[in-house]
């Protein structure tokens, strides 16, 4: 696991025999990736970030194509397709064009195609990137089933810290180098008592505490979570936070159990002002947010043929406000944005 540019994709492509290493070796299932490329590729299922689905072919046609490419006998396909479609939840969509699937469904179809030949091992390069939390959970359910029922080994890359916590063993990469490895539990144990939660008094805003703490001595990371500030330190947590906060700012500080994300932040090389936010003058009297409505929709609708993508959506956005549209793939977020920008015609309702 690691951030973008850490070397995850390069490593997995090397393991799959698609890239030749400049030096060193990679062994997969006992085979050298430089010498035994064909042998490895016949035994593993490889799913790149952007799986090669054919957008103008149906779900079944894509599966047939990959079965042909991998030499799966026709006699074995019916039972295998049935299991993969059930596992991925794609049974009702076998006749739908791949291009008409949501992002999460495309990822699941890509995973099904990589499993057509019943591989001994799976190489998954960020399989959940760009998909919503619901689809991510469904993909992980499939991975767990493959490991537990079929005994398939999985080498998976991810930039999501919560996903790293699901793995049995984690290698943290940063700018091409290995920083640390171990089980998620071992990572969290290293952080120990170095994580604190700050619950501010009513007259102090969490943003003020967050802005004040970032970049201070012994403060590794600070984030706002549900009206509280979560702080990772390189010493005893509560003491470091208490020392960094002004005495005039009353706040309740307590230790809290560490997560994998807390441990990860302590590993990344520190850069001054890495997450520093420009301070806001809270005493200027100027209120950024006001009551002026700058975006407004009323009973907004969008049809694609008989399919209703946006159903009577009404909301207002005020100046200086950060307004979020939240929902899984296929919820109508992008369609709404495209109508806001004038890129799609409105089917019904009002928008300004």
């Amino acid at each position: 696991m690691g951030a973008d540019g850490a070397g995850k994709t390069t490593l997995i492509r090397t393991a799959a025999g698609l890239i030749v290493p400049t030096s060193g070796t990679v062994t997969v299932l006992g085979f050298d990736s430089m010498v035994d490329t064909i042998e490895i590729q016949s035994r593993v299922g490889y799913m790149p970030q952007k799986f090669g689905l054919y957008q103008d072919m149906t779900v079944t046609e894509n599966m047939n194509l990959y079965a042909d490419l991998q030499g799966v006998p026709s006699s074995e396909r019916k039972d295998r397709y049935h299991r993969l479609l059930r596992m991925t939840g794609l049974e009702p969509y076998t006749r739908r064009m791949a291009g008409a699937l949501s992002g999460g469904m495309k990822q699941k179809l890509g995973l099904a195609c990589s499993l057509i030949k019943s591989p001994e091992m799976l190489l998954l390069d960020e399989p959940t990137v760009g998909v919503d939390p619901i689809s991510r959970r469904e993909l992980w359910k499939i991975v767990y089933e493959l490991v537990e029922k079929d005994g398939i080994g999985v080498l998976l890359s991810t930039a999501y810290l919560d996903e790293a916590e699901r793995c049995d063993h984690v290698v943290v990469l940063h700018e091409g180098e290995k920083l640390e490895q171990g089980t998620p539990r071992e990572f969290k144990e290293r952080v120990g008592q170095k994580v604190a939660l700050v619950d501010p008094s009513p007259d102090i805003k969490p943003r003020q505490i967050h802005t004040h703490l970032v970049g201070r001595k012994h403060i590794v990371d600070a984030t706002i979570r549900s009206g509280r500030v979560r702080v990772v330190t390189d010493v005893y947590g509560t003491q470091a936070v208490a020392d960094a906060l002004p005495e005039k700012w009353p706040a309740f500080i307590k230790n809290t159990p560490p997560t994998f994300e807390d441990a990860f932040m302590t590993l990344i090389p520190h850069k001054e002002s890495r997450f520093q936010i420009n301070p806001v003058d809270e005493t200027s009297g100027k209120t950024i947010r006001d009551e002026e409505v700058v975006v407004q929709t009323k009973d907004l609708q969008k049809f694609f043929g008989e399919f209703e993508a946006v159903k009577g959506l009404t909301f207002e956005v005020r100046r200086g406000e950060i307004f979020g549209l939240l929902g899984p793939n296929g919820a109508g977020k992008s369609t709404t944005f495209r109508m806001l920008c004038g890129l799609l015609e409105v089917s019904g309702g009002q928008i300004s």
Side-chain angles (χ1 to χ4, degrees), residues 84 138 182:
L84 291 173
E138 291 173 345

Side-chain angles (χ1 to χ4, degrees), residues 126-143:
E126 298 198 57
T128 60
V129 69
V131 301
D132 63 86
I134 295 173
S135 296
R136 285 173 59 192
R137 292 184 184 186
E138 291 173 345
L139 279 161
W140 270 98
K141 180 182 177 182
I142 296 169
V143 171

Side-chain angles (χ1 to χ4, degrees), residues 172 174 179-180 187 190 220 262-270:
V172 175
H174 181 71
L179 297 182
E180 195 61 78
F187 276 98
R190 292 168 191 158
V220 175
D262 299 326
F264 176 80
M265 296 309 298
T266 64
L267 294 173
I268 300 302
H270 181 73

